[in-house]
Amino acid sequence: NDAPPPADTSDTQRYRVAMRAYDRAEALAKAVASSSAPEAAAAALAADELVADVALAKAQLSLRSAVANLERGEGRDLSPEEKALLSDAETYAAAAVTAAEATGDPEHPRVGVAVACSADVYVAKAVLAAKGKGGVGDGAGVLFADGLYRNALRRFGTARPPTSVASDPDAAAGGAAPAHLRLVAAFAHAKYAAVLRASGANRANEAEAWSNAALKEWDDDFSERTKSEDVVPRENGGDARDSRGEEDAIRNAAGGIGSVGKTRAILDGQLMMPVVG
């Protein structure tokens, strides 16, 4: 008798289930967007935004899955499946940029999130190319990611490292990100700091400035949330965030991409930027 095929791992199964759900959401959104029915007119704009969001989610999911699979098999080359996941992530990220621009404003922060996701893909490919070599490996990929992150940061309103946050009295003078973008900006600033650090000692001061901006933005948000009377501490049965743990996540992301051991810190699901509405 033929041996039964190997069972899917739980992660692989979850990936496939998630992708099927995203495919279904995308198909429904496209059907609404293209419908000529009068009752669908009001939903058309939201449908276009959903198409962009789904493409971004697919890119993030493919990217994380490829990195996670590789880390479970330390010391080996990328499998064909993992290479396919990285290729899919690149394709989906490009589709997310196109779909976000199609919603009407090419300078909208939503486009910036998709552009930053494309940068994440290039960073991942560079780090994975350096597996076992202790370095970044693909200098061209890191250089391209640098340009993409800058493109995204411009759309977040932070073309230079901000020295203030939206709640500060000198927010405008300090170049603070708008309040509704403060967390997505913190993620992008941290990851851009890592790219700068990997680009050489001559960019260390730039990296430090972006890293400090990310930490300030993150600390400002979660230090206030954990002090709020509306937040119930974990020890009392609540689900308040551990602000120190969140700070560590941002600090790790900004720390560097020069070693494979840091890959997960940069690409972990915690650090996947939320879609900005």
Side-chain angles (χ1 to χ4, degrees), residues 223-243:
S223 63
E224 290 303 314
R225 286 182 59 175
T226 52
K227 292 175 186 174
S228 170
E229 293 180 0
D230 296 331
V231 176
V232 180
R234 291 183 191 278
E235 58 268 26
N236 294 338
D239 61 353
R241 290 178 182 264
D242 180 348
S243 60

Side-chain angles (χ1 to χ4, degrees), residues 69-158:
N69 287 348
L70 182 68
E71 289 183 342
R72 280 194 291 269
E74 190 72 25
R76 61 170 174 79
D77 292 332
L78 284 172
S79 70
E81 291 78 12
E82 289 155 354
K83 290 179 180 178
L85 284 171
L86 278 177
S87 178
D88 287 347
E90 187 172 358
T91 299
Y92 291 138
V97 174
T98 300
E101 289 176 338
T103 60
D105 181 3
E107 292 301 311
H108 193 279
R110 180 187 298 276
V111 181
V113 176
V115 170
C117 187
S118 290
D120 293 345
V121 174
Y122 281 97
V123 170
K125 291 171 73 173
V127 174
L128 296 179
K131 182 177 58 67
K133 300 183 180 66
V136 173
D138 182 2
V142 172
L143 184 63
F144 195 42
D146 184 318
L148 288 171
Y149 279 131
R150 281 203 169 276
N151 187 316
L153 293 173
R154 188 188 76 246
R155 290 178 168 88
F156 300 152
T158 56

